[in-house]
Amino acid sequence: MKKIKRRRRRLRLSSPIGFSIACILGAAMLAGLYVGISWCVKNGPAVVSGIREAILAESATPSPEPTFTPAPEDLGTPAPQNTPVLGTPNPIPTEDPDAAPTPKPPRVVDPNAPLGGFVIGLDPYRDKNSQYKAEADYNLAFVQKLAEYLEDKGAEVVITRSNSTDVYSDGTRFAAIKNAKSDIAIRFICNHVSQKNTGGTYVQTSNANKAFAQTLVSEYSAATGLRIRKTKTGVEIKKDYLSGAGCPMVQLILGHWTNPGELAKLRDDDFQDKMIEGIYNGLLKQLTG
């Protein structure tokens, strides 16, 4: 039995239908190609330019616009100023070492003042050589305070030492008092004893100045409330004591440095005012009667 072979159908151009279809397809392809070429010719440059601008805009970094700063107005060169650096103190003018010192204006003394016309010598005892350094400083400070008070009362005052760092002999002290032509003088000292409960005041002097010593210790005790000790009158006589000053001179024991309670009083400002009052009253009575 003979096999039947299936044949594939093929479009044959020899047939009228196949040829017609082929012509139509070819015409369509040519028409599309023409349209495409025409569009590219017409719009191609614009498309290419747009693509290139987009690529450049994306890749390029925009540079900042330059700012215009007007030139500063020429006001001339400013004069240099001496401006101190922060934290630097203002310069202190230095003194000319060759310049003459400014003289201290003379003190105007009221002739009607209670002590007007009198010269008083004040001798704060102790100095650099003393073992009682604190007392030496105290004696000087108190005498300086007393001097201001007496000057306000019209007196001219001379103090025998100006510091506690030098040595002042009795001869030096007496010379200062004598050269000032003092009318009267007092040495000041605080007592040191072994018994801490010992306190009070008294005056040491020569027999020639006993009356002045008695007046001074009485007024001082009355003003301060310190009891009189050593003798019944509070005056201890020592032969030729302080005789080199050229004027009546006594030594007043202001109080006892070794007595804690009395030392506290000596250092108290209000109590010092009482001490000064008593000394002034004693001087006034002695000098003016």
Side-chain angles (χ1 to χ4, degrees), residues 1 36 108 143 226 268-269:
M1 185 172 181
V108 179
V143 163
L226 295 178
D268 182 75
D269 288 339

Side-chain angles (χ1 to χ4, degrees), residues 45 53 87 97 99 180 187 218 220 261 285 287:
E53 289 179 1
R187 172 175 285 180
S218 296
Y220 184 75
K285 280 189 176 183
L287 292 172

Side-chain angles (χ1 to χ4, degrees), residues 183-242:
D183 295 293
I184 203 164
I186 305 174
R187 172 175 285 180
F188 299 92
I189 190 173
C190 296
N191 209 7
H192 295 256
V193 297
S194 57
Q195 297 295 326
K196 292 186 177 181
N197 61 344
T198 300
T201 181
Y202 61 98
V203 174
Q204 295 175 318
T205 186
S206 65
N207 194 59
N209 300 318
K210 182 178 179 179
F212 171 41
Q214 182 66 70
T215 300
L216 180 62
V217 73
S218 296
E219 294 295 333
Y220 184 75
S221 176
T224 61
L226 295 178
R227 70 181 184 88
I228 290 176
R229 66 174 298 264
K230 202 69 172 180
T231 67
K232 288 183 179 181
T233 60
V235 177
E236 181 181 19
I237 302 298
K238 303 179 75 171
K239 185 179 179 180
D240 296 329
Y241 191 62
L242 305 177

